[in-house]
Amino acid sequence: MTHFSLLGQAEVFHKGRIDLVTVADQESESYIKEALHAAYPEIGFHGEEGGGSVYDQGRLFVADPLDGTTNFVHGLPLFCVSIAYVVDGQPQAGVVYAPYFDEFFWAAKGEGAWHDGRRIHVSTTANLVDAELEFGFSCVRAGLKPDTMPIASDFVYRAQCIRALGSAALALCYVADGRFDGFWEYYIRPWDWAAAQIIIEEAGGKLTDFRGGPVDWRTGRVLASNGLLHEQMMAVFAERHQN
Ligand code: IPD
Ligand code: CA
């Protein structure tokens, strides 16, 4: 395992009351942006720290230079770098790298999903009661409604367990390799899920909105699963009338 030293407070800035950014986020994004521009100058770039608004058209790299910043700041090693290659809003290839664990996930359309040279597949869990699910709190943090707490309460009583690891891109890769069976989050941004979408799809799973359609980049309602659980998870959202 790779060891990293804990950050000093001087390197942490607040984007909002509890929304953090570090020098590592900024330097990682600059490096990724420059390296991709040097190799593919004709392809656009949209990163979490770089702003921009129109990003679901044309050829584009969509990057989160550090997904799981709060974990990183607290010295919890669940964080990653996520980069997607997207054409007209459709992810064509994705890479996700978790430095502490030295785990590399990638996929490209028609080429399968891979984890450190090993082909990966979603789980075979067929019933919600046997499922380990992951979710995130971005809506609560941003004060947006509806938030995830009522649906979290529904799932905690129906699934085997629910978790909130704090890095959406990494957790979605865990759905792709069968560690998790499903995932949901409200108001999640494309840099958190675009790379993982193609990784999950190539691993045999699904990533959609809460009704089974394509994710709207603006509302960011993401439901991912091994495919077998998708209908059961969608039914929980339908019951809550939160679609
Ligand atoms: C956040 C993490 C978190 C998820 C949030 C994301 P960041 O990304 O992925 O798990 O719940 O929606 O914004 O801020 O650490 O890059
Ligand atoms: Ca980030």
Side-chain angles (χ1 to χ4, degrees), residues 15 25 48-49 64-69 191-192:
K15 288 197 275 192
D25 296 72
E48 177 171 10
E49 308 308 333
D64 190 337
L66 202 174
D67 183 53
T69 299
W191 46 76
D192 293 319

Side-chain angles (χ1 to χ4, degrees), residues 5 9 11 16-17 22 30 59 63 69 74 82 84 87 93 98 100 111 129 149 174 188 191 199 204 228:
S5 51
Q9 288 299 310
E11 293 172 285
R17 186 176 65 86
T22 71
S30 299
R59 297 199 298 155
T69 299
H74 286 265
S82 173
V87 178
Y100 185 83
E111 293 183 29
V129 70
M149 300 317 289
Y174 291 176
I188 185 175
W191 46 76
I199 296 172
L228 299 172

Side-chain angles (χ1 to χ4, degrees), residues 53-77:
S53 53
V54 179
Y55 41 73
D56 56 356
Q57 289 170 6
R59 297 199 298 155
L60 198 62
F61 292 113
V62 180
D64 190 337
L66 202 174
D67 183 53
T69 299
T70 307
N71 285 348
F72 180 73
V73 168
H74 286 265
L76 187 65

Side-chain angles (χ1 to χ4, degrees), residues 15 19-20 25 48-49 64 66-71 134-139 141 165-169 183 185-189 191-192:
K15 288 197 275 192
D19 204 3
L20 307 178
D25 296 72
E48 177 171 10
E49 308 308 333
D64 190 337
L66 202 174
D67 183 53
T69 299
T70 307
N71 285 348
E134 161 75 10
F135 73 114
F137 290 102
S138 53
C139 52
R141 290 166 58 194
L165 298 188
S167 170
F183 170 103
E185 187 160 354
Y186 292 76
Y187 305 110
I188 185 175
R189 305 307 304 273
W191 46 76
D192 293 319

